[in-house]
Amino acid sequence: MLKSLFRPRAVRLSIEHLYAQAATQARAPAFYTTLGAPDRIDARFELYTLHVLLLVMRLRDEGPSGADAAQDLFDVYVSALDHALRELGVGDLSIAKKMRKLGESLYGRMTAYEAPLRAGDTAGLGEAFARNLFESDDAPGAPALAAYAVASRARLAVQPIRDLQSGPDWADITA
């Protein structure tokens, strides 16, 4: 995290802007209205994590320089989570415990989602979304969210890296 303090300001702002793009997409009303995602803080965490992961995967595909940018994006996300907890009133004495738990959840989700995303496995991804986001084995929106995520992964994979900054090429959100 300290290395990001010594990065050029333009690079930090670029990564923060990319995170903002992921956050904006994760808050798209269609996830809640069309796919039926619950409007709860834990469901929003799942959608934020999905979108950050999609961008992290795309950046890593660029090799070593992309891996550095992916790590920077991940660090910005973790910092945003810390900030959100503090805004919710979590005190200094318990923030470390909450962040550790959140970090474990974050790592678990990214691990659970990355393999099916890379394989284009909408069934496996849908099961993970049903369990983690919808908290139900019978979640009608889970397969549609999985199809969206796999389609977004494919679209981001062919989008030139320089175009990501102006707007990642997310798939349409449809049921």
Side-chain angles (χ1 to χ4, degrees):
M1 189 97 148
L2 285 178
K3 71 178 177 137
S4 66
L5 291 175
F6 302 107
R7 287 195 161 237
R9 180 171 165 74
V11 172
R12 280 198 319 263
L13 291 176
S14 175
I15 294 298
E16 289 169 2
H17 179 72
L18 197 54
Y19 170 73
Q21 297 269 353
T24 297
Q25 183 65 14
R27 289 190 301 261
F31 289 117
Y32 307 96
T33 58
T34 303
L35 301 185
D39 190 10
R40 299 185 318 254
I41 194 163
D42 56 328
R44 282 176 268 169
F45 167 78
E46 298 292 338
L47 289 169
Y48 274 62
T49 300
L50 169 64
H51 288 88
V52 168
L53 175 61
L54 286 166
L55 291 176
V56 162
M57 290 171 66
R58 174 62 184 97
L59 291 169
R60 279 195 218 137
D61 290 344
E62 289 296 306
S65 64
D68 288 344
Q71 183 62 52
D72 290 343
L73 178 59
F74 180 82
D75 291 346
V76 167
Y77 181 38
V78 170
S79 179
L81 290 173
D82 179 272
H83 180 73
L85 284 176
R86 291 177 189 278
E87 287 291 315
L88 289 170
V90 176
D92 289 339
L93 297 176
S94 59
I95 195 78
K97 182 179 174 183
K98 297 273 188 193
M99 281 301 295
R100 182 176 15 257
K101 185 176 178 181
L102 206 51
E104 289 169 1
S105 294
L106 177 60
Y107 179 76
R109 295 316 187 268
M110 287 186 153
T111 301
Y113 300 159
E114 186 169 1
L117 278 168
R118 287 200 182 279
D121 177 10
T122 55
L125 193 57
E127 289 172 12
F129 289 147
R131 182 177 54 253
N132 297 325
L133 190 140
F134 293 96
E135 297 179 347
S136 168
D137 291 335
D138 183 29
L145 181 58
Y148 160 83
V150 168
S152 288
R153 166 80 175 135
R155 289 170 73 152
L156 291 169
V158 297
Q159 184 179 21
I161 199 74
R162 67 184 176 281
D163 293 344
L164 271 182
Q165 190 65 24
S166 59
D169 188 18
W170 308 111
D172 294 328
I173 304 165
T174 59

